[in-house]
Amino acid sequence: MRLPLVPDDPRAHRFATQTAQILGEDLRAEALQTLQINLGKRCNQACRHCHVDAGPARTESMSDVSVERVKAILTEYRMPVLDITGGAPELHPRFRELVRHGRGLGITTIVRHNFTVMFEPGQEDLPEFFAEQGVTLFCSLPHYTEDGNDRQRGGGVFAASIRALRRLNDVGYGTGRADRSLTLVHNPLGAFLPGSQRDLERDFRDALGREHGVTFDRLVTLANMPIARFAAWLDRSGQLTNYLDRLEQRFNPATLPGLMCRGMVSVSWDGRLFDCDFNQMLDLPVRIADHSLMGLSPEALRGRSIVTGAHCFGCTAGSGSSCGGALTE
Ligand code: SF4
Ligand code: SF4
């Protein structure tokens, strides 16, 4: 199925035109702050909204050569932030080595963690490993009720996530310590934008504390991007056009300065460079001559014109959306 999200879609043209009018030029990258690494598509879950089509049967995985190159890049350029994602990145055989390397250089190292992976064989000591390394955790928990959560992520995932959160609390995560930071990530359960990040954080904190006795440091909201598995679901349920229209109608110019693509580069498991992981899924590499990991340099990436499409309205609608949550709250 070819979804209408390629650069020649009329919405893509409107996004580029509107953005250029507001900024006085096309959307461009600034200094590189974050190196985001996708270690592969293998995951112990198969969530309905997954924008990377990850799952237990996927075998794509970053090669040893690429992992070595990532380590060399970190050593040479020391970007402020290393952001490790997947799939479930913990399932990559060199995940812990990469974390240790980043932390050894003093780089803030974010892991996009799904909670339940710590119950996979060989992963039982993940909380202690995260704590020892001072990893910054971003953990998916779409909703604070079992039903709301499991409708999106699968049966039993909520109960396992609460058990995992308790384990993380036990080693100091989510208790206010800067070196054990735990952020929950909420995304809506359907074809609508997230509610107020501040209100949702309060609701999650109250419900999770009261019902389960667990804590976290903050909550961020993410819009569901109209790509991959979520776009296919929208299409099957006849909601794709309405959702795309809704995102476009809610375009908010105040989100433009904080768009994550302006300060990051996203590396795919097969060693190519993208402006963000959404562009990665759409196979739209960065617009520079050499878009391979082997040729990565912050100088070459700075000032590049970002590849945009209709899906970009997902980042600019309402309060905005990024890996770090809402952009204008
Ligand atoms: S846990 Fe994350 S990577 Fe895994 S299937 Fe769910 S959304 Fe995708
Ligand atoms: S999807 Fe979002 S982060 Fe990616 S290029 Fe578009 S605006 Fe930037």
Side-chain angles (χ1 to χ4, degrees):
M1 175 180 44
R2 186 72 172 158
L3 294 165
L5 300 172
V6 287
D8 57 357
D9 181 90
R11 291 182 190 85
H13 178 68
R14 292 199 290 271
F15 182 86
T17 310
Q18 255 176 301
T19 308
Q21 269 167 6
I22 293 161
L23 296 173
E25 60 172 1
D26 52 355
L27 188 64
R28 288 186 178 271
E30 295 164 352
L32 185 60
Q33 301 290 326
T34 300
L35 182 67
Q36 186 179 68
I37 305 294
N38 188 315
L39 284 179
K41 290 186 181 286
R42 192 170 151 225
C43 186
N44 56 310
Q45 294 184 186
C47 308
R48 190 176 75 186
H49 70 285
C50 184
H51 71 266
V52 290
D53 280 343
R58 303 298 298 253
T59 54
E60 298 91 333
S61 181
M62 184 170 272
S63 68
D64 286 336
V65 172
S66 292
V67 172
E68 287 302 328
R69 176 67 185 141
V70 170
K71 287 170 65 182
I73 288 167
L74 291 169
T75 304
E76 184 173 357
Y77 299 114
R78 297 185 188 234
M79 293 84 177
V81 180
L82 167 65
D83 184 344
I84 307 178
T85 182
E90 298 89 339
L91 297 176
H92 191 283
R94 299 185 68 182
F95 165 76
R96 295 192 189 203
E97 176 189 337
L98 191 56
V99 169
R100 285 195 183 97
H101 186 78
R103 293 300 295 139
L105 294 167
I107 293 172
T108 297
T109 300
I110 295 172
V111 173
R112 308 267 159 193
H113 176 59
N114 72 6
F115 281 133
T116 59
V117 72
M118 75 170 69
F119 303 117
E120 293 295 303
Q123 302 291 341
E124 300 82 0
D125 62 339
L126 261 182
E128 288 76 15
F129 172 75
F130 288 148
E132 168 201 299
Q133 294 296 320
V135 165
T136 300
L137 290 179
F138 275 67
C139 308
S140 321
L141 192 73
H143 205 255
Y144 52 80
T145 63
E146 182 161 9
D147 178 53
N149 198 78
D150 289 359
R151 257 189 289 149
Q152 191 175 103
R153 292 176 86 75
V157 170
F158 182 75
S161 300
I162 295 297
R163 265 195 296 142
L165 182 49
R166 205 168 279 132
R167 285 268 287 116
L168 290 164
N169 284 169
D170 287 346
V171 297
Y173 272 97
T175 62
R177 286 180 56 163
D179 62 339
R180 309 265 161 100
S181 169
L182 191 154
T183 297
L184 292 184
V185 180
H186 157 84
N187 60 288
L189 301 176
F192 47 88
L193 285 172
S196 151
Q197 187 165 280
R198 201 175 307 116
D199 293 351
L200 280 160
E201 179 176 295
R202 186 200 54 223
D203 294 347
F204 269 69
R205 201 179 293 290
D206 289 351
L208 293 177
R210 189 180 57 243
E211 304 289 331
H212 305 286
V214 289
T215 59
F216 59 94
D217 293 310
R218 66 185 187 117
L219 174 135
V220 297
T221 56
L222 249 61
N224 287 321
M225 291 300 277
I227 60 174
R229 204 173 282 159
F230 186 67
W233 174 78
L234 286 171
D235 200 40
R236 274 198 313 276
S237 57
Q239 302 182 80
L240 183 60
T241 302
N242 278 351
Y243 189 63
L244 292 172
D245 288 346
R246 192 170 311 145
L247 295 180
E248 183 172 359
Q249 284 154 9
R250 296 285 309 277
F251 176 74
N252 177 0
T255 60
L256 294 179
L259 288 176
M260 62 184 179
C261 47
R262 306 190 82 171
M264 80 178 315
V265 69
S266 177
V267 182
S268 59
W269 67 272
D270 59 353
R272 292 181 298 147
L273 308 182
F274 298 84
D275 295 305
C276 67
D277 57 344
F278 307 125
N279 283 5
Q280 202 182 116
M281 277 311 298
L282 294 167
D283 204 21
L284 301 170
V286 286
R287 202 178 270 144
I288 58 173
D290 183 356
H291 49 76
S292 76
L293 175 63
M294 296 303 151
L296 187 154
S297 89
E299 298 78 35
L301 289 165
R302 188 174 186 148
R304 74 187 184 276
S305 171
I306 290 167
V307 181
T308 57
H311 59 295
C312 295
F313 282 116
C315 293
T316 56
S319 301
S321 181
S322 75
C323 285
L327 295 169
T328 61
E329 272 195 55

